[in-house]
Amino acid sequence: MTPTRRPYRSRKHVTVVSLLLFLLALVLGPTPSSAAGSDWWIPTSPPAPDAQIDVTGEPFTGTDSAGEVRGFVDAHNHLFSNEAFGGRLICGKVFSEAGVADALKDCPEHYPDGSLAIFDYITHGGDGRHDPVGWPTFKDWPAYNSMTHQANYYAWLERAWRGGQRVLVNDLVTNGMICSVYPFKDRSCDEMTSIRLQAKLTYQLQDYIDKMYGGPGKGWFRIVTDSAQAREVIKQGKLAVVLGVETSEPFGCKQVLDIPQCSKADIDKGLDELYALGVRSMFLCHKFDNALCGVRFDSGTLGTAIDVGQFLSTGTFWQTEKCTGPEHDNPIGTASSAAEKDLPAGVHLPSYDSDAQCNKRGLTDLGAYAVRGMMKRKMMLEIDHMGVKAVGQALDILESESYPGVISSHSWMDLNWTERVYSLGGFVAQYMHGSQGFVAEADRTKALRDKYHVGYGYGTDFNGIGDHPAPRGADAPNKVTYPFKSADGGSVIDRQTTGQRTFDFNTDGAAHVGMIPDWIEDIRLVGGQGVVNDLMRGAESYLHTWGATEQHQASVDLAKGATATASSSEWNPFTSYQPGRAVDGDDGTRWASNWSDDQWWQVDLGATHLVSRVTLNWERAYGKAYRIELSTDGSNWQTVWSTTSGDGGLDTARFTGTPARYVRIHGLGRGTDWGYSLYEVGVHSA
């Protein structure tokens, strides 16, 4: 939908009444500036001096004719990670009441030449040397390949919004172990303390911007806690900001020597606190294995450093095993890192079999409890950083409940999971790679987006531990030509200037978050308008996932407490394994058959229902080959679903709704030497 323009009105149509009203307004109130009137997007009292925006034109507002919002979504950013990791790992602030010179200055230990920028050379190699001076010269930072300098200054973020971004997920982030081993810090390393501070500062940033526009609620930066609020904010042309969490030990749920350091009560208390802070999406593990799940490994020098941190934090290094399917974690690699000197004397990094690329640790019982706790609170689960074993188990749980709240926000899941995410109603964003790589990956998954009618997102990970698009060069083909039009066509974007430095995407790359519009233009020039169109539908797809999550209702389990029978039941003098144990609502009890292949278990629902989904929670003795049969009379059976490749765990069988009173699980081939054993069977109409 094109921006609403004010029609031109001739002076001859101005009536005496309207003139009198205008004069009365002059007498009784302050004269509104053009910024406060027609140019609502320009602040009435901006700080000076400050970074320039270098975008002209009205930000697009409203929705299209189908009621859908437009705009880009940055599904993964870390506005306030300068407050994380002890407060001195990322240098510079998002905003400062004292002004830009105070906000955009380097860490004190980086003076005079960056020699003590330790984290830079631990993760990247080299010596870390750079000119530490920020405002106003910015000789060496911000830069596309710097991990230690502020890239999310609020005015740069304003430029991203003016260039078409309409949703921003601010992931509150930290890592207690990185904080503890990093020598420079000015605060506690407690992760939840840092998360609370970052949430508080996000609200303070909203207040800071509001003051420039005349008071509460008037600024363009709007924190939202539900999808309806987000849609209203975007309808006004503003930026909807969602709070997420990405931390290694949420709720204190670390593990030491494989012993969890938290309880179910800690998880419930922690989820309730985060929800009250406004958090609506989160990761359950990040970088280090914890009491909830095993992580997706980092590679290269960074992977070595993180594995060292894993040992220092948990007492165990990463442990690998052969993958059971096409999905696999990142290879750990054997690159040396300066972090190895932090290991105790006599302790060395293990070697890893190149044929074993999956994390042995999956989703723990506490992790499964946390997933269900998030579902109970209508929160969205971030699956990037989970190892493939953990992701598979988490998706099993979500699929068993048809729960759409699942997000891959920055390319850190195995791409083989993409369709499972889309089929649930989830959302996928790609890491902010260079335009050529981004376009190639977008093209690879284009057919899936078309199949599920979804848009696309990007996860910039600014202020995170990652590089950003490098410059393609002043002589590159199809380079960005300034000025250019925004993706919606309603604004004109020129080179961005901060202090004495002017940024050009062709020679500076994605040096800070304000270069997002330039990067989008580079994508258009490299990959064509189609990719940009998918990105412009990103905000709508993200909000669709969020809205469906909020509206999700758990379906009734038709089998719970119903009468069950079986071909056999294992006898045990101390424990009952009778058929009814699989429908008693207790995950700690189970039905178990005799130890032979051809066995069945069935339940009488008591009346005929339209059945379309059956969930099976297998014990270790699972069915590899089995089928699901339905009947209305208990005599004539219809097979509606079958498999010959069952792998245990939690299975969900979906099929066309079929009338049935009786549901039978018919085992044809065991996955172990034991019989068939089911903790719970659920039967659902939808």
Side-chain angles (χ1 to χ4, degrees):
M1 183 176 181
T2 56
T4 301
R5 303 292 184 186
R6 293 178 177 228
Y8 176 79
R9 294 177 180 173
S10 171
R11 291 179 182 270
K12 67 182 180 180
H13 296 303
V14 178
T15 65
V16 174
V17 174
S18 63
L19 181 60
L20 289 174
L21 289 174
F22 175 71
L23 293 173
L24 185 62
L26 288 178
V27 174
L28 297 180
T31 303
S33 68
S34 62
S38 60
D39 298 344
W40 61 268
W41 57 93
I42 298 177
T44 56
S45 55
D50 205 357
Q52 297 178 29
I53 307 303
D54 298 296
V55 179
T56 56
E58 181 178 359
F60 58 87
T61 61
T63 59
D64 68 14
S65 58
E68 296 183 348
V69 303
R70 296 180 300 153
F72 308 130
V73 51
D74 182 352
H76 192 102
N77 199 332
H78 306 292
L79 293 189
F80 290 98
S81 63
N82 58 292
E83 304 292 348
F85 314 110
R88 299 269 278 273
L89 193 70
I90 308 295
C91 307
K93 303 174 184 177
V94 179
F95 74 103
S96 172
E97 295 286 356
V100 64
D102 181 64
L104 295 179
K105 61 183 180 182
D106 215 336
C107 293
E109 56 274 9
H110 285 201
Y111 290 85
D113 62 359
S115 298
L116 293 180
I118 297 173
F119 193 69
D120 264 354
Y121 59 75
I122 284 179
T123 55
H124 270 183
D127 59 12
R129 293 179 184 271
H130 63 275
D131 181 354
V133 177
W135 177 272
T137 56
F138 298 107
K139 179 180 178 182
D140 287 338
W141 67 271
Y144 73 92
N145 58 353
S146 172
M147 291 189 178
T148 60
H149 293 101
Q150 181 59 248
N152 278 319
Y153 184 58
Y154 90 92
W156 298 336
L157 184 63
E158 180 178 349
R159 177 181 163 90
W161 158 62
R162 291 282 300 276
Q165 186 167 299
R166 291 297 179 265
V167 175
L168 168 69
V169 180
N170 177 28
D171 282 317
L172 316 175
V173 64
T174 191
N175 183 291
M177 179 50 59
I178 291 176
C179 172
S180 67
V181 299
Y182 193 64
F184 305 108
K185 60 181 71 70
D186 55 22
R187 64 197 63 183
S188 162
C189 291
D190 179 72
E191 292 193 354
M192 290 305 293
T193 298
S194 179
I195 295 301
R196 296 181 191 106
L197 173 61
Q198 292 176 54
K200 178 181 178 181
L201 286 169
T202 308
Y203 285 95
Q204 289 181 359
L205 173 59
Q206 179 175 257
D207 295 341
Y208 178 77
I209 294 173
D210 277 353
K211 282 189 287 187
M212 297 181 203
Y213 287 81
K218 295 188 176 182
W220 52 268
F221 183 96
R222 312 308 317 156
I223 300 169
V224 295
T225 56
D226 62 55
S227 62
Q229 286 180 355
R231 289 184 180 279
E232 181 59 30
V233 163
I234 298 171
K235 187 176 181 180
Q236 298 169 19
K238 300 180 180 182
L239 180 68
V241 180
V242 186
L243 295 185
V245 165
E246 182 184 42
T247 189
S248 293
E249 299 169 3
F251 335 123
C253 281
K254 68 183 298 179
Q255 57 92 8
V256 177
L257 298 175
D258 293 325
I259 300 173
Q261 305 297 298
C262 67
S263 64
K264 291 181 178 179
D266 294 323
I267 293 170
D268 283 328
K269 180 180 178 182
L271 286 173
D272 286 342
E273 179 184 7
L274 291 178
Y275 194 90
L277 288 174
V279 172
R280 295 298 180 266
S281 69
M282 71 174 295
F283 296 76
L284 290 184
C285 51
H286 176 239
K287 299 302 182 185
F288 301 154
D289 294 346
N290 60 24
L292 306 176
C293 51
V295 295
R296 185 169 173 84
F297 307 131
D298 281 87
S299 300
T301 300
L302 180 59
T304 300
I306 298 297
D307 202 7
V308 169
Q310 156 97 9
F311 178 84
L312 296 176
S313 176
T314 69
T316 59
F317 290 106
W318 286 327
Q319 299 178 57
T320 63
E321 64 183 10
K322 289 187 177 182
C323 305
T324 58
E327 301 82 18
H328 58 83
D329 293 321
N330 298 323
I332 297 174
T334 57
S336 61
S337 167
E340 293 177 71
K341 65 180 176 55
D342 293 320
L343 289 171
V347 176
H348 304 283
L349 284 163
S351 59
Y352 293 99
D353 186 349
S354 61
D355 193 34
Q357 288 192 9
C358 282
N359 194 331
K360 185 178 291 186
R361 178 181 288 266
L363 189 70
T364 67
D365 290 342
L366 284 174
Y369 183 83
V371 170
R372 295 188 183 280
M374 291 181 67
M375 294 166 64
K376 179 181 177 181
R377 293 163 178 82
K378 312 294 184 169
M379 298 173 72
M380 293 178 286
L381 175 66
E382 295 261 17
I383 57 174
D384 288 0
H385 288 293
M386 275 186 177
V388 296
K389 187 174 183 178
V391 171
Q393 293 167 322
L395 290 176
D396 286 345
I397 294 174
L398 300 178
E399 287 168 344
S400 73
E401 299 288 346
S402 297
Y403 189 79
V406 56
I407 293 174
S408 171
S409 61
H410 66 334
S411 302
W412 259 80
M413 70 162 185
D414 189 288
L415 296 175
N416 289 294
W417 296 126
T418 302
E419 185 157 18
R420 287 186 75 180
V421 172
Y422 280 150
S423 65
L424 276 165
F427 179 78
V428 174
Q430 186 189 158
Y431 189 85
M432 189 186 185
H433 296 297
S435 56
Q436 292 165 315
F438 190 92
V439 167
E441 173 56 22
D443 287 346
R444 192 192 69 82
T445 56
K446 173 65 173 172
L448 282 176
R449 291 197 298 281
D450 290 345
K451 176 181 177 180
Y452 290 96
H453 308 289
V454 295
Y456 206 33
Y458 51 80
T460 63
D461 203 24
F462 277 116
N463 285 3
I465 305 174
D467 289 342
H468 292 91
R472 290 200 296 123
D475 298 324
N478 298 320
K479 70 176 184 179
V480 174
T481 301
Y482 294 90
F484 59 87
K485 284 190 174 183
S486 59
D488 67 290
S491 297
V492 176
I493 300 169
D494 210 338
R495 292 176 179 85
Q496 195 279 322
T497 297
T498 301
Q500 298 171 13
R501 182 173 173 186
T502 297
F503 293 88
D504 184 320
F505 190 82
N506 301 301
T507 54
D508 295 304
H512 56 68
V513 73
M515 303 302 286
I516 286 177
D518 313 57
W519 172 67
I520 296 289
E521 173 68 0
D522 201 45
I523 286 174
R524 185 187 70 82
L525 294 168
V526 169
Q529 187 63 37
V531 183
V532 178
N533 290 343
D534 278 2
L535 289 171
M536 279 292 284
R537 291 193 292 269
E540 172 60 37
S541 286
Y542 180 89
L543 295 180
H544 181 82
T545 292
W546 191 5
T549 301
E550 294 167 325
Q551 296 167 18
H552 178 264
Q553 296 293 328
S555 61
V556 174
D557 181 0
L558 302 172
K560 186 175 181 180
T563 301
T565 55
S567 57
S568 66
S569 296
E570 181 182 340
W571 182 84
N572 186 295
F574 306 105
T575 303
S576 170
Y577 296 125
Q578 292 300 304
R581 294 292 202 173
V583 287
D584 62 2
D586 184 350
D587 287 334
T589 64
R590 59 189 174 94
W591 163 72
S593 75
N594 288 341
W595 296 6
S596 60
D597 283 332
D598 193 8
Q599 301 285 340
W600 55 263
W601 175 98
Q602 74 181 49
V603 61
D604 178 358
L605 304 179
T608 298
H609 298 269
L610 193 67
V611 175
S612 61
R613 176 164 53 97
V614 174
T615 59
L616 303 94
N617 187 5
W618 294 101
E619 194 249 355
R620 287 179 297 172
Y622 65 93
K624 182 175 182 180
Y626 65 93
R627 62 181 181 238
I628 295 175
E629 303 166 341
L630 303 182
S631 173
T632 56
D633 58 10
S635 299
N636 299 295
W637 296 91
Q638 174 186 358
T639 298
V640 293
W641 190 91
S642 64
T643 183
T644 58
S645 56
D647 58 359
L650 184 59
D651 287 348
T652 298
R654 299 178 186 278
F655 42 86
T656 301
T658 305
R661 172 173 173 171
Y662 302 91
V663 179
R664 175 183 286 178
I665 314 301
H666 197 150
L668 305 174
R670 294 167 292 158
T672 69
D673 291 335
W674 299 294
Y676 301 92
S677 186
L678 287 162
Y679 286 117
E680 284 292 310
V681 177
V683 178
H684 305 269
S685 289

